[in-house]
Structures are given as C-alpha cells and as structure tokens.
C-alpha cells in the first residue's frame, strides 16, 4: 500500500490520488467520474496574477464526485481522518440528503475515507453511513464511529495506477445489493 504520511500529501492529497485513479479508470473505459467544484462567487480578483483573492461559497455543495461506472450512476465524497474515531459532523446534512436522494433515484452513493495515521482507505456504503447516523438519532449514540467497527472487507488497497481502487469496494457493494434482491 502507498504511504500517505509525507508532508507533501497533506490537505487535498487524498483527492489528488482519487483524481489520478479516476483518470486511470477513464483511460481504461472502466468509469467516467468527475470532481464537482464547490460553487463560489469571487469578491476580489488579482488581474495581474489572474487569481481570485477573496470569495464566498454561493451555496452548499453536494458531494465531491459524480459519475458513471459501467452504466451505474455513482456519487461519493472523500474524507480524511487522523484518528480512529470519525466524527459524523464531517458529513454535512446537505451531503447526506443528496446521497440519500441519489440512492432513491437508483444510483449508488458512498464515502471514501482515508485514515491518515494508519494509511488505510475505506469504502463506506451509504447503507453503513445511514446506520451510524440513525443510531445517533435512535439511541443517542455519540456522533461518531470507530475504526474497529468497520467491515474489514471494505478496506481498499492500491492496485497499480489505481491508487484509490474504489471499484473494488463498489463491486462488493453491488454484490451485496444483488444478493438481497435475489432473496
């Protein structure tokens, strides 16, 4: 597995790895997935440098990525977590609602989580995320989940140019959904 701890890979590094993976998937005709920019309104612009120096967010964004994998619509968000406890406050209500609506329309929604101190990547099915959100509402549980609660089958590994090989998690997610439909 690749190492993510270097200083040069902080901040948007996880998204850079996902973007690289998406380019690889596209080059192999496996998927067409794009990063969704957060809509902003520029307030100040440095014309000499062609740089926005001050702006505000126009509205809440949806998720980080939307696309299609072999005729299956997907959307997902990318999150990083330094500790073994992931705060559900990292998933905003509008993002959760968007993923829920996306699933209702027949798409597949998920979250990719990089546990930076462990160098582990995780594919979290929307169904699993919903379970953690519901237990906060239903049981008054803390607004988080722990690393050791996660399904070991959904930890991802890098595979060649697919640095964040999320199609592996997606395929397992599809298998689980198909087996439920067959019952």
């Amino acid at each position: 597995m690749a190492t993510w701890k270097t200083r040069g890979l902080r901040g948007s590094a996880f998204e850079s790895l996902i973007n690289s993976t998406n380019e690889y998937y596209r080059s192999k005709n496996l998927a067409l997935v794009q990063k969704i920019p957060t809509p902003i309104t520029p307030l100040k612009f440095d014309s000499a440098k062609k740089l926005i120096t001050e702006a505000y967010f126009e509205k809440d964004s949806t998720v980080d990525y939307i696309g299609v994998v072999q005729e299956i619509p997907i959307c997902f968000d990318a999150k990083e977590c330094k500790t073994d406890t992931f705060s559900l406050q990292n998933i905003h209500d509008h993002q959760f609602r968007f993923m829920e609506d996306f699933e209702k329309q027949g798409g597949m929604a998920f979250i990719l989580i990089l546990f930076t101190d462990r160098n582990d990547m995780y594919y979290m099915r929307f169904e699993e995320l919903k379970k953690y959100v519901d237990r906060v509402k239903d049981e008054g549980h803390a607004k988080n989940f722990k690393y050791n609660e996660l399904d070991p089958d959904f930890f991802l590994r890098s595979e060649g140019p697919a640095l964040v090989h999320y199609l592996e998690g997606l395929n397992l997610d599809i298998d689980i959904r198909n087996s439920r439909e067959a019952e």
Side-chain angles (χ1 to χ4, degrees), residues 69 74 108 110 123 166-175:
V69 176
I74 66 165
M108 295 182 70
F110 54 94
Y123 174 104
Y166 63 83
L167 291 186
E168 187 177 85
L170 184 68
N171 284 332
L172 185 54
D173 192 353
I174 291 168
D175 290 345

Side-chain angles (χ1 to χ4, degrees), residues 7 34 43-44 57 62-63 74 76 82 89 146 170:
R7 289 191 183 273
Q34 292 193 326
L43 297 174
K44 293 182 182 175
F57 295 111
T62 54
V63 292
I74 66 165
F76 64 93
K82 186 169 175 52
Q89 292 175 337
K146 306 279 187 196
L170 184 68

Side-chain angles (χ1 to χ4, degrees), residues 72-91:
I72 299 168
I74 66 165
C75 76
F76 64 93
D77 212 65
K79 302 292 183 184
E80 292 186 37
C81 184
K82 186 169 175 52
T83 68
D84 283 357
T85 302
F86 184 92
S87 173
L88 290 170
Q89 292 175 337
N90 291 322
I91 311 294

Side-chain angles (χ1 to χ4, degrees), residues 11-111:
S12 63
F14 189 41
E15 286 186 357
S16 294
L17 296 173
I18 293 168
N19 294 342
S20 175
T21 299
N22 286 338
E23 285 302 314
Y24 171 71
Y25 287 165
R26 182 179 183 170
S27 74
K28 296 297 183 185
N29 294 315
L30 297 171
L32 179 60
V33 179
Q34 292 193 326
K35 172 87 172 94
I36 304 301
T38 303
I40 63 166
T41 297
L43 297 174
K44 293 182 182 175
F45 186 78
D46 182 338
S47 56
K49 295 181 181 178
K50 298 184 179 180
L51 182 71
I52 297 170
T53 58
E54 189 175 326
Y56 69 89
F57 295 111
E58 291 177 14
K59 60 180 181 174
D60 292 334
S61 62
T62 54
V63 292
D64 292 331
Y65 296 89
I66 293 180
V68 63
V69 176
Q70 306 297 309
E71 300 181 358
I72 299 168
I74 66 165
C75 76
F76 64 93
D77 212 65
K79 302 292 183 184
E80 292 186 37
C81 184
K82 186 169 175 52
T83 68
D84 283 357
T85 302
F86 184 92
S87 173
L88 290 170
Q89 292 175 337
N90 291 322
I91 311 294
H92 303 285
D93 288 338
H94 65 274
Q95 291 174 316
F96 182 84
R97 285 191 311 273
F98 182 86
M99 288 187 285
E100 187 172 48
D101 290 344
F102 197 87
E103 289 260 335
K104 287 176 184 174
Q105 292 296 320
M108 295 182 70
F110 54 94
I111 296 173

